[in-house]
Amino acid sequence: MKWTLDGLFEGEIKFFQPSDGYRFSVDAPILASFIKIKPGERIIDLGTGNGVILIILGKKYPQIKELCGIEIQKELFELAQENVKMNGLSERIRIIEGDVKEIEHHFTPQSFNVVISNPPYYPVSSGRINPQDKKALARHEILGTIEDFLNATSYLLKEKGRCYFIYPQKRAVTLLMEMRKRRLEPKKLRFVHPKPKEEAKLVLVEGIKGGKEGLLVEPPLYIFDQKGSYTEEMTPIIFKLKEETNER
């Protein structure tokens, strides 16, 4: 596999990613910025890819001692392990090779406080797909559907545990409905827009297992301003790695 060495936060995080397969986009740091973690919590990333979200969280929250990731594609699993090692986080981040559809083979139920995922976005029925295309495997529900990821989330989360997702805005209703079916009550929602006055492309969702009804819609996040530069709110998400206060 050919890969490139890239960086985030002005080089504070470095990582390898495939040169011709699925490459992370701003989805990863945007989701990482939406996640809130408290000391002592256990975190798992479903479909961790090259591990970039876990690495961001590991650097951002040095007090968190246990972060896990599961990845079904062997090449990405190996890449994630290398990235964790390169960023000096091997003692705190554990990556396993496995299928979210067989999550019970790897973890006991209700063993995590926080589950995060940037899951495959599109149904297999949405267009022509080459099943050998690694980018298609990451972006389409070939190896796992949103239902599979939510089943795994429900299995892994402790009662009142939190889950965080980033998903296409056009499929937001599907995500919210399927979450509720599994007692993952949507509590916070934020739409992500490419620019002001353009329709949202993504949605960020926080859910609580067994939570009460009550949804907070946060102000929209705009990635670029009208001139095509990152907005003031996006700049720290991309360029500044800072510790959080853990207060909501």
Side-chain angles (χ1 to χ4, degrees), residues 142-156:
I142 297 171
L143 301 177
T145 65
I146 188 61
E147 291 85 358
D148 295 325
F149 278 79
L150 292 174
N151 286 339
T153 299
S154 181
Y155 172 87
L156 292 169

Side-chain angles (χ1 to χ4, degrees), residues 1-3 15-24 45-52 54-55 69-84 95-98 118 120 133-139 143:
M1 176 173 64
K2 296 180 179 179
W3 41 258
F15 53 93
F16 294 110
Q17 58 180 336
S19 58
D20 56 355
Y22 172 68
R23 296 169 63 84
F24 98 95
D45 182 15
L46 304 181
T48 196
N50 68 354
V52 65
L54 287 177
I55 292 167
I70 183 169
E71 174 55 48
I72 192 171
Q73 295 189 64
K74 185 176 183 62
E75 291 178 338
L76 288 177
F77 157 72
E78 293 174 347
L79 208 55
Q81 286 189 312
E82 183 65 28
N83 287 336
V84 168
I95 310 293
I96 67 168
E97 183 181 5
N118 182 2
D133 185 341
K134 292 182 174 59
K135 188 178 293 187
L137 291 176
R139 271 292 168 250
L143 301 177

